[in-house]
Amino acid sequence: RAKMSGRATFCFYTAQLQAQMARALHVENGLRRALERDEMLLHYQPQCALADGRIVGAEALLRWRHPELGWIPPSEFVPMAETSGQIAGIGRWVLDTALGQLRRWIDAGLPPLRMSVNLSAVQLRQPDLPEQVAELLQRHRIEPAWLELELTETVAWDDPLESARTVARLNAMGLRIAIDDFGAGYTSFSHLSLFRAGTLKIDRSLVSVIENSEGDCSVVTAIVNLARTLGMHTVAEGVETPGQRAALARTGCDSAQGWLFGRPVAAADFETVLLQHLETTPG
Ligand code: C2E
Ligand code: MG
Ligand code: MG
Ligand code: MG
């Protein structure tokens, strides 16, 4: 009874595929005008020291509200922007907006924090990326040390050595490089020798199972020790429970990010978080 005829199944999948393709087209068309129509904004998520919970940084996360389709997750539109070449303009806007926001927070007297910005592998292939970054740092009067650029492998590296040279130039400027999603399958061990990064971000998939077994915990401990040997700072991603936090603290991991510490929120709400934080953690 439950068995569908071959033809019905075929029609079902065809209809589903058509709907998917129609949405992809709709999203891609909208992407072209998203910035000029002011449909994009950044949310900020705190990064906290595991030892005392102090906010040490913020990661800027891109948000897009399509006029008809509503909120579209970056996992859907960032890869599209990468293949269409629009990531260059969008990425530049993200950096400009995040650094401008950091300047306003500094001017408002909020305690200094490091701003982490996600960078696409496509942006790394732009030969003038270091100049772009330098120009924006200067325009917003931000010390390079306060900017961290997070690298994930979402597209194939055409020329990993060229990317490594660009990363070396960014390092030489004094800003910090982070390897994002470490252990997720894309970003892996080869990146550790290719890029001299100051920060290693441990992927959520490893953090979510840390309480399951001794073995899962040992994997994270080994990564933290490896990072320390390489002189890198560690950040655990996607920390949702006090149990995960406690287990992470035992591994010696430096900082954490996740819903337990704070969700990504708009700039005004993040400011409230920072002000509350100032009151509860003096000094
Ligand atoms: P990511 O850089 O690894 O960012 C972390 C993601 O985990 C974010 O998803 C964040 O909202 C989510 N997250 C944070 N804490 C938790 C938690 O406790 N539990 C769970 N389940 N999730 C948590 P989001 O904002 O959807 O971003 C997804 C990815 O899109 C990012 O992963 C990043 O690779 C990319 N992305 C976001 N903004 C930008 C951008 O401005 N430029 C580029 N090139 N990529 C971006
Ligand atoms: Mg990131
Ligand atoms: Mg990540
Ligand atoms: Mg990611």
Side-chain angles (χ1 to χ4, degrees):
R1 239 355 12 216
K3 197 173 159 232
M4 263 197 262
S5 80
R7 193 175 157 73
T9 312
F10 176 76
C11 287
F12 173 72
Y13 282 120
T14 308
Q16 206 178 38
L17 209 67
Q18 261 168 5
Q20 267 171 25
M21 282 168 64
R23 178 179 165 98
L25 249 165
H26 201 156
V27 170
E28 222 176 302
N29 279 330
L31 201 51
R32 237 172 281 143
R33 285 176 298 264
L35 279 183
E36 61 190 63
R37 291 185 181 178
D38 215 16
E39 292 163 5
M40 287 190 172
L41 76 154
L42 296 183
H43 276 185
Y44 300 89
Q45 185 178 34
Q47 297 183 336
C48 299
L50 266 166
D52 56 8
R54 187 182 294 261
I55 298 180
V56 290
E59 179 175 6
L61 293 157
L62 186 55
R63 298 289 178 259
W64 176 28
R65 187 177 196 160
H66 189 285
E68 288 114 37
L69 301 172
W71 295 103
I72 304 191
S75 55
E76 185 176 351
F77 72 82
V78 168
M80 279 182 185
E82 286 177 332
T83 43
S84 67
Q86 292 170 82
I87 197 69
I90 293 172
R92 197 176 189 289
W93 177 86
V94 169
L95 258 174
D96 191 11
T97 307
L99 290 175
Q101 187 58 65
L102 183 57
R103 169 45 55 199
R104 279 195 292 281
W105 284 334
I106 294 171
D107 287 346
L110 291 161
L113 80 177
R114 179 175 281 116
M115 182 66 82
S116 291
V117 175
N118 291 283
L119 211 66
S120 161
V122 173
Q123 286 174 275
L124 265 194
R125 293 205 295 259
Q126 305 176 306
D128 69 333
L129 180 77
E131 285 77 24
Q132 271 186 49
V133 174
E135 198 252 313
L136 290 172
L137 285 169
Q138 206 171 26
R139 179 188 307 169
H140 297 293
R141 290 173 291 121
I142 303 292
E143 293 288 328
W146 293 110
L147 176 62
E148 180 168 80
L149 297 175
E150 300 192 359
L151 308 179
T152 329
E153 185 174 353
T154 51
V155 291
W157 302 94
D158 280 349
D159 188 351
L161 288 178
E162 175 75 54
S163 301
R165 272 194 293 273
T166 306
V167 169
R169 286 168 63 203
L170 293 167
N171 262 324
M173 286 165 55
L175 43 84
R176 216 202 275 210
I177 301 294
I179 293 180
D180 205 351
D181 303 339
F182 187 79
Y186 294 110
T187 304
S188 193
F189 288 98
S190 61
H191 291 79
L192 294 181
S193 51
L194 194 58
F195 306 129
R196 276 246 316 249
T199 302
L200 190 67
K201 296 191 77 175
I202 302 166
D203 192 67
R204 189 173 80 221
S205 58
L206 297 174
V207 171
S208 66
V209 295
I210 196 169
E211 290 173 285
N212 289 6
S213 71
E214 204 59 39
D216 290 314
C217 198
S218 304
V219 169
V220 175
T221 305
I223 292 173
V224 169
N225 289 333
L226 170 72
R228 182 166 303 137
T229 305
L230 295 168
M232 299 170 84
H233 172 92
T234 42
V235 182
E237 299 192 84
V239 182
E240 295 179 354
T241 69
Q244 288 167 357
R245 177 185 182 164
L248 281 165
R250 286 194 294 274
T251 68
C253 183
D254 300 305
S255 333
Q257 191 181 340
W259 296 344
L260 180 70
F261 297 91
R263 300 215 174 216
V265 292
D269 297 317
F270 193 78
E271 216 170 288
T272 311
V273 171
L274 285 176
L275 285 168
Q276 278 166 355
H277 198 69
L278 255 186
E279 282 164 19
T280 52
T281 50

